[in-house]
Amino acid sequence: MKFPVVPVFILILFTCFASAIWFISPDSKDSHTKTWSSFIYTHGYDSGKYKKTDNFDHYDACRDFARVQSSLYDNVPWECGLNCEFDPRKQGFQCKEMKNEN
């Protein structure tokens, strides 16, 4: 009786492919702590210039800080972002969520 080489090879190949997908795919759980960052746009939204302050525990603290800072610069636009990270491809910060509730 011959050893079935082709089916065993296909099974090993399929197992390697499945394990590669398993290890490469991100976990479904969120590994980041929820932190908010404030963005104060001192020259308007389109200028790309902003003052960023990090590590607010909740949106309300970020909002209150942003309102005070905005009033110091003649009520310029502001936003608060959740879990922001710098994206080198876009040369800016990307956040999971952005809010501006006055």
Side-chain angles (χ1 to χ4, degrees):
M1 181 176 213
K2 282 179 103 179
F3 185 72
V5 175
V6 174
V8 171
F9 177 73
I10 291 174
L11 181 63
I12 292 172
L13 190 63
F14 178 72
T15 304
C16 291
F17 179 71
S19 63
I21 289 176
W22 174 269
F23 287 114
I24 291 173
S25 65
D27 292 339
S28 61
K29 61 184 176 184
D30 188 16
S31 62
H32 292 90
T33 57
K34 288 189 173 186
T35 59
W36 290 87
S37 300
S38 72
F39 294 87
I40 312 299
Y41 301 100
T42 55
H43 298 290
Y45 281 117
D46 297 331
S47 71
K49 292 186 178 186
Y50 51 82
K51 296 188 182 293
K52 180 176 174 282
T53 307
D54 296 319
N55 298 327
F56 294 99
D57 292 333
H58 47 82
Y59 172 74
D60 294 333
C62 180
R63 180 193 62 206
D64 294 341
F65 176 81
R67 284 180 179 167
V68 170
Q69 293 298 309
S70 173
S71 67
L72 295 176
Y73 295 100
D74 295 327
N75 294 322
V76 296
W78 61 269
E79 283 184 308
C80 287
L82 177 64
N83 291 342
C84 301
E85 295 179 350
F86 187 77
D87 186 353
R89 290 175 286 157
K90 295 182 180 180
Q91 294 298 309
F93 284 90
Q94 298 297 313
C95 303
K96 295 201 188 268
E97 180 181 349
M98 291 294 275
K99 283 186 180 181
N100 179 352
E101 297 173 1
N102 292 320

XYZ file of all heavy atoms in Angstrom:
844
model
N 0.840 -1.173 0.000
C 0.000 0.000 0.000
C 0.891 1.244 0.000
O 1.818 1.348 0.796
C -0.899 -0.040 1.229
C -1.828 1.109 1.321
S -2.889 0.867 2.750
C -4.326 1.616 2.155
N 0.582 2.206 -0.869
C 1.373 3.429 -0.982
C 0.912 4.460 0.059
O -0.253 4.541 0.397
C 1.204 4.033 -2.375
C 2.020 3.329 -3.437
C 1.763 3.972 -4.753
C 2.900 4.859 -5.141
N 2.720 5.498 -6.420
N 1.873 5.226 0.482
C 1.584 6.318 1.417
C 0.960 7.474 0.634
O 1.518 7.919 -0.376
C 2.878 6.761 2.102
C 2.664 7.788 3.171
C 2.082 7.444 4.369
C 3.050 9.103 2.974
C 1.897 8.383 5.365
C 2.869 10.048 3.949
C 2.281 9.682 5.161
N -0.205 8.007 1.052
C -0.878 9.080 0.300
C -0.171 10.429 0.483
O -0.501 11.216 1.367
C -2.275 9.102 0.892
C -2.109 8.549 2.269
C -0.969 7.584 2.204
N 0.796 10.701 -0.347
C 1.632 11.894 -0.221
C 0.853 13.169 -0.527
O 0.937 14.152 0.217
C 2.867 11.776 -1.148
C 3.683 13.053 -1.118
C 3.707 10.587 -0.763
N 0.099 13.199 -1.588
C -0.597 14.414 -2.010
C -1.630 14.860 -0.970
O -1.644 16.036 -0.586
C -1.233 14.223 -3.411
C -2.084 15.427 -3.784
C -0.157 13.995 -4.448
N -2.518 13.968 -0.482
C -3.475 14.433 0.542
C -2.790 14.908 1.827
O -3.227 15.891 2.429
C -4.350 13.210 0.819
C -4.221 12.366 -0.395
C -2.846 12.617 -0.921
N -1.721 14.257 2.247
C -1.010 14.686 3.449
C -0.354 16.040 3.215
O -0.392 16.920 4.080
C 0.024 13.615 3.875
C 0.923 14.151 4.985
C -0.663 12.341 4.307
N 0.238 16.248 2.046
C 0.844 17.532 1.712
C -0.202 18.649 1.714
O 0.035 19.735 2.253
C 1.540 17.448 0.345
C 2.131 18.753 -0.092
C 3.281 19.248 0.516
C 1.536 19.496 -1.102
C 3.830 20.456 0.126
C 2.073 20.704 -1.497
C 3.226 21.183 -0.882
N -1.358 18.397 1.143
C -2.434 19.395 1.111
C -2.928 19.687 2.525
O -3.178 20.845 2.879
C -3.575 18.926 0.193
C -3.092 18.941 -1.256
C -4.806 19.801 0.363
C -4.079 18.364 -2.246
N -3.035 18.676 3.358
C -3.460 18.870 4.737
C -2.444 19.717 5.508
O -2.820 20.633 6.245
C -3.651 17.512 5.427
C -4.125 17.564 6.868
C -5.509 18.187 6.942
C -4.125 16.181 7.467
N -1.166 19.442 5.334
C -0.125 20.241 5.999
C -0.137 21.672 5.488
O -0.020 22.622 6.263
C 1.263 19.585 5.803
C 1.332 18.274 6.575
C 2.380 20.531 6.225
C 2.579 17.458 6.297
N -0.291 21.859 4.200
C -0.347 23.198 3.614
C -1.541 23.976 4.143
O -1.420 25.150 4.514
C -0.397 23.085 2.087
C -0.218 24.363 1.295
C 1.169 24.939 1.554
C -0.403 24.095 -0.177
N -2.688 23.326 4.199
C -3.889 23.971 4.717
C -3.718 24.333 6.200
O -4.117 25.414 6.634
C -5.109 23.063 4.537
C -6.365 23.651 5.088
C -6.995 24.708 4.462
C -6.923 23.154 6.261
C -8.144 25.263 4.975
C -8.068 23.702 6.795
C -8.692 24.758 6.145
N -3.095 23.459 6.973
C -2.854 23.729 8.392
C -1.926 24.923 8.579
O -2.164 25.781 9.434
C -2.259 22.483 9.076
O -3.141 21.372 8.863
C -2.057 22.700 10.556
N -0.883 25.007 7.776
C 0.035 26.152 7.844
C -0.675 27.451 7.470
O -0.483 28.490 8.112
C 1.235 25.932 6.932
S 2.338 24.639 7.495
N -1.493 27.401 6.445
C -2.236 28.586 6.003
C -3.205 29.046 7.088
O -3.269 30.239 7.409
C -2.985 28.259 4.704
C -3.791 29.398 4.170
C -3.181 30.501 3.617
C -5.180 29.360 4.228
C -3.927 31.555 3.126
C -5.935 30.408 3.751
C -5.312 31.507 3.193
N -3.952 28.118 7.673
C -4.913 28.461 8.728
C -4.213 29.017 9.962
O -4.678 29.995 10.565
C -5.746 27.240 9.088
N -3.088 28.434 10.351
C -2.377 28.945 11.525
C -1.762 30.314 11.254
O -1.708 31.160 12.155
C -1.314 27.950 11.983
O -0.338 27.768 10.994
N -1.318 30.567 10.030
C -0.784 31.895 9.689
C -1.871 32.956 9.795
O -1.638 34.041 10.337
C -0.187 31.880 8.287
N -3.042 32.658 9.298
C -4.159 33.610 9.400
C -4.529 33.825 10.863
O -4.806 34.943 11.286
C -5.364 33.116 8.583
C -5.046 33.236 7.095
C -6.618 33.907 8.922
C -6.112 32.691 6.197
N -4.523 32.765 11.641
C -4.880 32.855 13.064
C -3.912 33.780 13.809
O -4.325 34.618 14.597
C -4.857 31.457 13.676
C -5.076 31.456 15.148
C -4.125 31.518 16.126
C -6.327 31.427 15.816
N -4.705 31.505 17.351
C -6.071 31.450 17.197
C -7.646 31.368 15.375
C -7.066 31.431 18.134
C -8.638 31.338 16.333
C -8.358 31.371 17.684
N -2.609 33.651 13.553
C -1.624 34.445 14.287
C -1.494 35.868 13.756
O -1.128 36.770 14.499
C -0.256 33.766 14.260
C -0.191 32.547 15.138
C -0.026 31.297 14.583
C -0.317 32.661 16.506
C 0.029 30.168 15.387
C -0.263 31.541 17.320
C -0.088 30.288 16.757
N -1.784 36.095 12.485
C -1.652 37.424 11.906
C -2.837 38.309 12.241
O -2.690 39.500 12.474
C -1.464 37.338 10.373
C -0.101 36.741 10.070
C -1.612 38.705 9.721
C 0.131 36.460 8.605
N -4.028 37.753 12.282
C -5.230 38.551 12.505
C -5.217 39.160 13.905
O -4.785 38.542 14.859
C -6.479 37.703 12.309
O -6.537 36.692 13.282
N -5.703 40.419 14.013
C -5.698 41.078 15.326
C -6.727 40.451 16.259
O -7.720 39.885 15.830
C -6.062 42.521 14.989
C -6.808 42.433 13.715
C -6.228 41.261 12.966
N -6.446 40.577 17.537
C -7.382 40.060 18.529
C -8.662 40.880 18.513
O -8.656 42.075 18.225
C -6.777 40.126 19.932
C -5.627 39.159 20.097
O -5.551 38.195 19.309
O -4.812 39.374 21.010
N -9.759 40.255 18.850
C -11.029 40.957 18.867
C -11.161 41.846 20.095
O -11.924 42.797 20.097
C -12.189 39.962 18.823
O -12.136 39.111 19.958
N -10.397 41.556 21.143
C -10.479 42.388 22.327
C -9.635 43.644 22.154
O -8.633 43.653 21.451
C -10.049 41.608 23.562
C -8.626 41.107 23.501
C -8.314 40.260 24.703
C -6.915 39.690 24.549
N -6.578 38.802 25.610
N -10.043 44.693 22.812
C -9.344 45.977 22.724
C -8.227 46.002 23.754
O -8.469 45.910 24.952
C -10.324 47.120 22.966
C -9.720 48.470 22.698
O -8.667 48.534 22.047
O -10.315 49.474 23.135
N -6.983 46.114 23.292
C -5.845 46.093 24.203
C -5.497 47.491 24.720
O -4.689 47.624 25.616
C -4.631 45.484 23.507
O -4.265 46.274 22.413
N -6.081 48.543 24.138
C -5.795 49.901 24.568
C -6.721 50.314 25.711
O -7.869 49.914 25.771
C -6.002 50.886 23.414
C -5.014 50.726 22.321
N -5.208 49.890 21.262
C -3.813 51.311 22.118
C -4.182 49.960 20.447
N -3.319 50.808 20.948
N -6.196 51.121 26.589
C -7.061 51.738 27.575
C -7.742 52.920 26.899
O -7.191 53.522 25.975
C -6.256 52.223 28.789
O -5.250 53.123 28.337
C -5.619 51.059 29.519
N -8.910 53.248 27.349
C -9.638 54.344 26.729
C -9.108 55.666 27.260
O -9.351 56.027 28.402
C -11.130 54.222 27.014
C -11.780 53.100 26.267
C -13.268 53.163 26.407
C -13.907 52.120 25.516
N -15.345 52.216 25.499
N -8.365 56.361 26.413
C -7.878 57.692 26.762
C -8.313 58.669 25.690
O -8.374 58.338 24.510
C -6.347 57.734 26.900
O -5.760 57.341 25.667
C -5.865 56.828 28.012
N -8.600 59.867 26.112
C -9.042 60.928 25.204
C -7.920 61.927 25.012
O -7.122 62.166 25.912
C -10.263 61.630 25.782
C -11.492 60.783 25.764
C -11.890 59.905 26.718
C -12.468 60.721 24.739
N -13.056 59.301 26.343
C -13.444 59.782 25.138
C -12.618 61.355 23.510
C -14.544 59.489 24.348
C -13.721 61.057 22.734
C -14.667 60.137 23.157
N -7.879 62.525 23.833
C -6.911 63.574 23.512
C -7.666 64.783 22.990
O -8.620 64.641 22.230
C -5.931 63.098 22.438
O -5.229 61.973 22.875
N -7.226 65.966 23.407
C -7.871 67.183 22.902
C -7.032 67.769 21.774
O -5.798 67.730 21.811
C -8.042 68.208 24.020
O -6.802 68.766 24.371
N -7.715 68.282 20.772
C -7.087 68.945 19.631
C -7.653 70.352 19.557
O -8.860 70.536 19.358
C -7.386 68.198 18.329
C -6.770 66.832 18.265
C -7.432 65.734 18.779
C -5.527 66.651 17.695
C -6.873 64.471 18.729
C -4.955 65.390 17.639
C -5.625 64.295 18.156
N -6.799 71.356 19.721
C -7.189 72.756 19.635
C -6.609 73.291 18.335
O -5.397 73.394 18.185
C -6.654 73.582 20.828
C -6.927 72.884 22.160
C -7.214 74.995 20.803
C -8.369 72.657 22.476
N -7.472 73.612 17.367
C -7.035 74.063 16.034
C -6.833 75.575 16.070
O -7.751 76.339 15.801
C -8.060 73.664 14.987
C -8.275 72.170 14.928
C -9.370 71.575 15.557
C -7.382 71.346 14.270
C -9.564 70.206 15.511
C -7.558 69.977 14.219
C -8.655 69.418 14.849
O -8.836 68.063 14.809
N -5.611 75.999 16.379
C -5.327 77.421 16.596
C -5.435 78.260 15.330
O -5.603 79.472 15.412
C -3.929 77.602 17.207
O -2.971 76.962 16.357
C -3.869 76.990 18.593
N -5.343 77.632 14.156
C -5.461 78.366 12.891
C -6.583 77.796 12.025
O -6.538 77.905 10.800
C -4.141 78.317 12.118
C -3.004 78.952 12.850
N -2.897 80.298 13.056
C -1.922 78.410 13.463
C -1.805 80.566 13.752
N -1.194 79.430 14.014
N -7.575 77.172 12.627
C -8.693 76.586 11.881
C -8.423 75.133 11.515
O -7.293 74.646 11.590
N -9.489 74.436 11.132
C -9.385 73.016 10.788
C -8.445 72.756 9.609
O -7.709 71.787 9.591
C -10.759 72.445 10.416
C -11.631 72.134 11.593
C -12.832 72.799 11.786
C -11.282 71.150 12.512
C -13.650 72.505 12.855
C -12.084 70.855 13.587
C -13.271 71.531 13.755
O -14.065 71.241 14.815
N -8.481 73.612 8.612
C -7.760 73.348 7.364
C -6.273 73.644 7.425
O -5.537 73.266 6.521
C -8.387 74.169 6.225
C -9.824 73.755 5.969
O -10.156 72.579 6.220
O -10.609 74.615 5.535
N -5.808 74.300 8.468
C -4.399 74.690 8.508
C -3.476 73.526 8.858
O -2.314 73.533 8.496
C -4.194 75.809 9.526
O -4.335 75.301 10.838
N -3.981 72.541 9.580
C -3.143 71.432 10.006
C -2.337 71.740 11.263
O -1.569 70.914 11.725
N -2.510 72.928 11.812
C -1.816 73.283 13.043
C -2.782 73.121 14.211
O -3.892 73.638 14.183
C -1.313 74.722 12.985
C -0.218 74.921 11.982
C 0.348 76.309 12.074
C 1.485 76.458 11.088
N 2.160 77.725 11.226
N -2.328 72.405 15.207
C -3.165 72.194 16.383
C -2.294 71.962 17.595
O -1.126 71.633 17.495
C -4.103 71.005 16.185
C -3.416 69.746 15.726
C -2.775 68.903 16.629
C -3.394 69.403 14.383
C -2.136 67.758 16.207
C -2.760 68.256 13.954
C -2.139 67.441 14.872
O -1.500 66.308 14.449
N -2.891 72.151 18.746
C -2.237 71.849 20.013
C -2.935 70.611 20.566
O -4.147 70.600 20.736
C -2.347 73.018 20.976
C -1.627 74.261 20.470
C -1.601 75.331 21.522
C -0.932 76.579 21.008
N 0.469 76.438 20.739
N -2.159 69.582 20.842
C -2.704 68.297 21.280
C -2.305 68.042 22.725
O -1.146 68.210 23.093
C -2.184 67.183 20.381
C -2.683 65.804 20.726
C -2.156 64.810 19.691
C -2.505 63.414 20.056
N -1.681 62.828 21.075
N -3.277 67.643 23.525
C -3.033 67.269 24.910
C -3.655 65.898 25.132
O -4.798 65.666 24.736
C -3.645 68.300 25.878
O -3.175 69.592 25.529
C -3.265 67.994 27.313
N -2.909 64.990 25.775
C -3.322 63.589 25.904
C -3.739 63.204 27.321
O -3.584 63.965 28.262
C -2.163 62.671 25.497
C -1.790 62.822 24.045
O -2.690 62.930 23.209
O -0.582 62.831 23.746
N -4.211 61.953 27.398
C -4.442 61.213 28.632
C -5.568 61.739 29.518
O -5.429 61.814 30.732
C -3.153 61.084 29.449
C -2.096 60.325 28.700
O -2.394 59.426 27.930
N -0.851 60.695 28.911
N -6.691 62.069 28.909
C -7.888 62.367 29.676
C -8.647 61.064 29.891
O -8.768 60.242 28.982
C -8.789 63.372 28.938
C -8.161 64.732 28.802
C -7.546 65.109 27.624
C -8.174 65.623 29.859
C -6.966 66.355 27.493
C -7.595 66.874 29.743
C -6.984 67.240 28.549
N -9.156 60.868 31.103
C -9.827 59.616 31.434
C -11.197 59.471 30.786
O -11.636 58.370 30.497
C -9.984 59.469 32.947
C -8.638 59.273 33.628
O -7.712 58.750 32.974
O -8.523 59.643 34.808
N -11.884 60.589 30.587
C -13.215 60.523 29.980
C -13.459 61.768 29.138
O -12.734 62.759 29.227
C -14.307 60.335 31.039
C -14.172 61.248 32.219
N -14.614 62.541 32.209
C -13.615 61.043 33.431
C -14.362 63.103 33.375
N -13.748 62.209 34.136
N -14.484 61.681 28.322
C -14.766 62.745 27.361
C -15.052 64.076 28.054
O -14.620 65.130 27.588
C -15.937 62.350 26.464
C -16.390 63.479 25.586
C -15.628 63.865 24.485
C -17.550 64.187 25.864
C -16.012 64.925 23.691
C -17.949 65.242 25.066
C -17.178 65.609 23.991
O -17.558 66.658 23.206
N -15.765 64.052 29.157
C -16.136 65.304 29.824
C -14.915 66.119 30.261
O -14.894 67.340 30.117
C -17.027 65.011 31.033
C -18.369 64.427 30.620
O -18.814 64.704 29.481
O -18.969 63.693 31.429
N -13.898 65.441 30.770
C -12.677 66.145 31.179
C -11.969 66.738 29.957
O -11.479 67.868 30.005
C -11.745 65.202 31.923
N -11.933 65.974 28.870
C -11.307 66.468 27.642
C -12.072 67.672 27.101
O -11.479 68.674 26.719
C -11.262 65.346 26.610
S -10.516 65.834 25.040
N -13.400 67.570 27.076
C -14.247 68.657 26.575
C -14.049 69.930 27.391
O -13.896 71.023 26.831
C -15.705 68.224 26.614
C -16.653 69.301 26.106
C -18.085 68.991 26.441
N -18.200 68.952 27.899
C -19.117 68.253 28.547
N -19.975 67.516 27.910
N -19.157 68.279 29.870
N -14.037 69.816 28.725
C -13.875 70.996 29.573
C -12.517 71.654 29.343
O -12.417 72.879 29.248
C -14.039 70.610 31.043
C -15.449 70.144 31.357
O -16.381 70.446 30.572
O -15.617 69.464 32.399
N -11.474 70.850 29.227
C -10.147 71.387 28.952
C -10.117 72.077 27.587
O -9.571 73.175 27.436
C -9.101 70.266 29.002
C -7.723 70.720 28.638
C -6.914 71.350 29.566
C -7.225 70.518 27.354
C -5.637 71.769 29.238
C -5.954 70.939 27.017
C -5.162 71.567 27.954
N -10.708 71.435 26.589
C -10.694 71.993 25.231
C -11.465 73.307 25.158
O -11.057 74.227 24.451
C -11.278 70.982 24.250
N -12.563 73.398 25.878
C -13.334 74.653 25.885
C -12.514 75.803 26.468
O -12.524 76.914 25.931
C -14.612 74.474 26.694
C -15.676 73.712 25.992
C -16.888 73.596 26.874
N -17.964 72.884 26.225
C -19.030 72.447 26.860
N -19.160 72.630 28.162
N -19.974 71.807 26.208
N -11.826 75.534 27.562
C -10.999 76.581 28.183
C -9.877 76.996 27.246
O -9.634 78.190 27.034
C -10.439 76.087 29.538
C -9.399 77.047 30.079
C -11.563 75.883 30.540
N -9.190 76.028 26.651
C -8.103 76.345 25.727
C -8.614 77.083 24.493
O -7.962 77.990 23.993
C -7.369 75.070 25.316
C -6.622 74.406 26.448
C -5.541 75.310 27.011
O -4.719 75.844 26.266
N -5.545 75.491 28.312
N -9.764 76.672 24.002
C -10.350 77.329 22.833
C -10.655 78.792 23.125
O -10.429 79.659 22.275
C -11.617 76.597 22.406
O -12.276 77.305 21.388
N -11.161 79.074 24.308
C -11.485 80.460 24.657
C -10.225 81.315 24.766
O -10.271 82.523 24.531
C -12.278 80.509 25.956
O -11.481 80.083 27.043
N -9.089 80.719 25.102
C -7.833 81.470 25.159
C -7.358 81.905 23.779
O -6.598 82.859 23.652
C -6.739 80.627 25.830
C -6.958 80.272 27.298
C -5.847 79.358 27.788
C -7.038 81.530 28.144
N -7.777 81.198 22.741
C -7.398 81.515 21.354
C -8.582 82.045 20.557
O -8.768 81.714 19.397
C -6.830 80.270 20.665
C -5.544 79.770 21.262
C -5.544 78.695 22.144
C -4.337 80.380 20.956
C -4.363 78.227 22.696
C -3.158 79.929 21.504
C -3.176 78.856 22.378
O -2.008 78.406 22.925
N -9.427 82.855 21.167
C -10.585 83.480 20.510
C -11.581 82.446 19.981
O -12.055 82.549 18.844
C -10.142 84.407 19.365
C -9.343 85.592 19.884
O -9.638 86.058 21.003
O -8.427 86.033 19.178
N -11.896 81.451 20.799
C -12.905 80.433 20.476
C -12.627 79.700 19.160
O -13.513 79.566 18.306
C -14.303 81.039 20.478
C -14.692 81.497 21.860
O -14.369 80.850 22.848
N -15.378 82.623 21.944
N -11.407 79.229 19.014
C -11.052 78.437 17.830
C -11.716 77.060 17.916
O -12.143 76.627 18.991
C -9.515 78.286 17.709
C -8.869 79.642 17.487
C -8.926 77.593 18.914
N -11.819 76.355 16.798
C -12.430 75.015 16.816
C -11.609 74.027 17.647
O -10.384 74.154 17.756
C -12.432 74.589 15.349
C -12.145 75.804 14.560
C -11.449 76.764 15.449
N -12.285 73.054 18.200
C -11.629 72.015 18.993
C -12.359 70.692 18.802
O -13.516 70.666 18.383
C -11.600 72.380 20.473
C -12.968 72.537 21.076
C -13.690 73.692 21.150
C -13.774 71.505 21.650
N -14.902 73.453 21.736
C -14.992 72.109 22.058
C -13.620 70.148 21.862
C -16.010 71.393 22.661
C -14.639 69.441 22.464
C -15.803 70.056 22.867
N -11.652 69.604 19.103
C -12.235 68.265 19.081
C -11.548 67.425 20.145
O -10.416 67.702 20.528
C -12.031 67.573 17.731
C -12.943 68.030 16.641
C -12.746 67.239 15.370
O -11.588 67.141 14.915
O -13.727 66.725 14.848
N -12.231 66.380 20.567
C -11.638 65.385 21.459
C -11.668 64.045 20.745
O -12.699 63.671 20.172
C -12.402 65.293 22.770
S -12.125 66.706 23.847
N -10.563 63.333 20.773
C -10.466 62.053 20.092
C -10.173 60.918 21.060
O -9.463 61.092 22.039
N -10.739 59.762 20.761
C -10.563 58.572 21.591
C -9.515 57.656 20.976
O -9.586 57.337 19.787
C -11.896 57.832 21.712
C -11.901 56.518 22.489
C -11.537 56.771 23.943
C -13.268 55.865 22.399
N -8.534 57.239 21.775
C -7.459 56.320 21.358
C -6.790 56.775 20.059
O -6.829 56.089 19.042
C -7.985 54.895 21.208
C -8.364 54.278 22.532
O -7.944 54.748 23.579
N -9.160 53.235 22.487
N -6.159 57.905 20.102
C -5.508 58.484 18.920
C -4.083 57.958 18.790
O -3.360 57.849 19.776
C -5.481 59.998 19.024
S -7.121 60.731 19.171
N -3.705 57.654 17.552
C -2.354 57.206 17.244
C -1.865 57.935 16.009
O -2.647 58.246 15.119
C -2.327 55.703 16.989
C -2.675 54.865 18.192
C -2.667 53.381 17.888
O -2.571 53.016 16.697
O -2.762 52.595 18.835
N -0.561 58.178 15.957
C 0.017 58.863 14.803
C 0.103 57.888 13.631
O 0.587 56.769 13.776
C 1.403 59.416 15.130
C 1.969 60.255 14.037
C 1.523 61.546 13.851
C 2.921 59.749 13.181
C 2.036 62.328 12.823
C 3.441 60.521 12.160
C 2.996 61.816 11.987
N -0.383 58.319 12.478
C -0.327 57.511 11.263
C 0.717 58.127 10.335
O 0.487 59.204 9.771
C -1.694 57.479 10.587
C -1.745 56.535 9.403
O -0.693 55.998 9.007
O -2.848 56.334 8.863
N 1.879 57.485 10.169
C 2.930 58.085 9.343
C 2.555 58.186 7.864
O 3.062 59.044 7.153
C 4.124 57.151 9.542
C 3.559 55.873 10.027
C 2.282 56.207 10.736
N 1.665 57.333 7.392
C 1.268 57.412 5.980
C 0.447 58.661 5.710
O 0.550 59.262 4.654
C 0.466 56.173 5.586
C 1.321 54.920 5.528
C 0.480 53.722 5.264
N -0.235 53.434 6.514
C -1.348 52.766 6.621
N -1.927 52.293 5.559
N -1.903 52.543 7.791
N -0.368 59.063 6.662
C -1.209 60.253 6.485
C -0.606 61.485 7.144
O -1.161 62.566 7.058
C -2.598 59.991 7.063
C -3.333 58.905 6.311
C -4.717 58.704 6.879
C -5.434 57.607 6.116
N -6.778 57.368 6.626
N 0.527 61.309 7.832
C 1.217 62.401 8.518
C 0.300 63.150 9.478
O 0.256 64.377 9.504
C 1.830 63.374 7.503
C 2.943 62.774 6.689
C 4.114 62.358 7.565
O 4.588 63.135 8.356
N 4.561 61.123 7.428
N -0.447 62.398 10.262
C -1.319 63.012 11.247
C -1.879 61.963 12.189
O -1.619 60.772 12.045
N -2.656 62.426 13.146
C -3.248 61.525 14.120
C -4.571 60.981 13.607
O -5.366 61.704 13.010
C -3.463 62.243 15.456
C -2.199 62.428 16.220
C -1.426 63.555 16.059
C -1.767 61.452 17.097
C -0.254 63.722 16.753
C -0.590 61.602 17.805
C 0.173 62.746 17.629
N -4.782 59.708 13.852
C -6.041 59.038 13.520
C -6.630 58.544 14.842
O -5.950 57.898 15.627
C -5.808 57.870 12.568
C -5.237 58.282 11.238
C -6.179 59.185 10.471
O -7.358 58.912 10.358
N -5.648 60.280 9.959
N -7.896 58.830 15.042
C -8.567 58.459 16.273
C -9.723 57.520 15.964
O -10.309 57.575 14.891
C -9.112 59.689 16.983
S -7.849 60.936 17.342
N -10.027 56.657 16.924
C -11.152 55.744 16.749
C -12.467 56.514 16.729
O -13.414 56.119 16.087
C -11.160 54.693 17.835
C -9.976 53.778 17.782
C -10.250 52.497 18.511
C -9.004 51.684 18.605
N -8.772 50.743 17.595
N -12.520 57.613 17.455
C -13.746 58.422 17.528
C -13.360 59.860 17.775
O -12.446 60.139 18.544
C -14.610 57.899 18.677
C -15.903 58.624 18.870
C -16.709 58.070 20.045
O -16.379 57.010 20.577
O -17.669 58.755 20.417
N -14.048 60.785 17.113
C -13.828 62.212 17.352
C -15.162 62.844 17.736
O -16.186 62.538 17.131
C -13.293 62.896 16.085
C -11.884 62.503 15.701
S -10.638 63.011 16.867
C -10.315 64.667 16.348
N -15.128 63.725 18.748
C -16.341 64.383 19.205
C -16.087 65.865 19.428
O -14.982 66.269 19.789
C -16.812 63.811 20.550
C -17.494 62.491 20.492
C -18.026 62.166 21.888
C -18.727 60.853 21.932
N -19.251 60.574 23.296
N -17.142 66.638 19.233
C -17.161 68.044 19.616
C -18.592 68.382 19.981
O -19.363 68.844 19.148
C -16.655 68.935 18.490
C -16.698 70.402 18.885
O -17.232 70.760 19.916
N -16.140 71.241 18.049
N -18.942 68.111 21.210
C -20.284 68.426 21.692
C -20.189 69.648 22.598
O -19.639 69.586 23.682
C -20.871 67.245 22.457
C -21.039 66.023 21.581
C -21.463 64.804 22.381
O -21.651 64.917 23.607
O -21.587 63.748 21.771
N -20.700 70.752 22.123
C -20.623 71.989 22.901
C -21.537 71.911 24.030
O -22.329 72.017 24.573
C -20.897 73.199 22.027
C -19.764 73.394 21.031
O -18.620 73.211 21.379
N -20.080 73.753 19.818
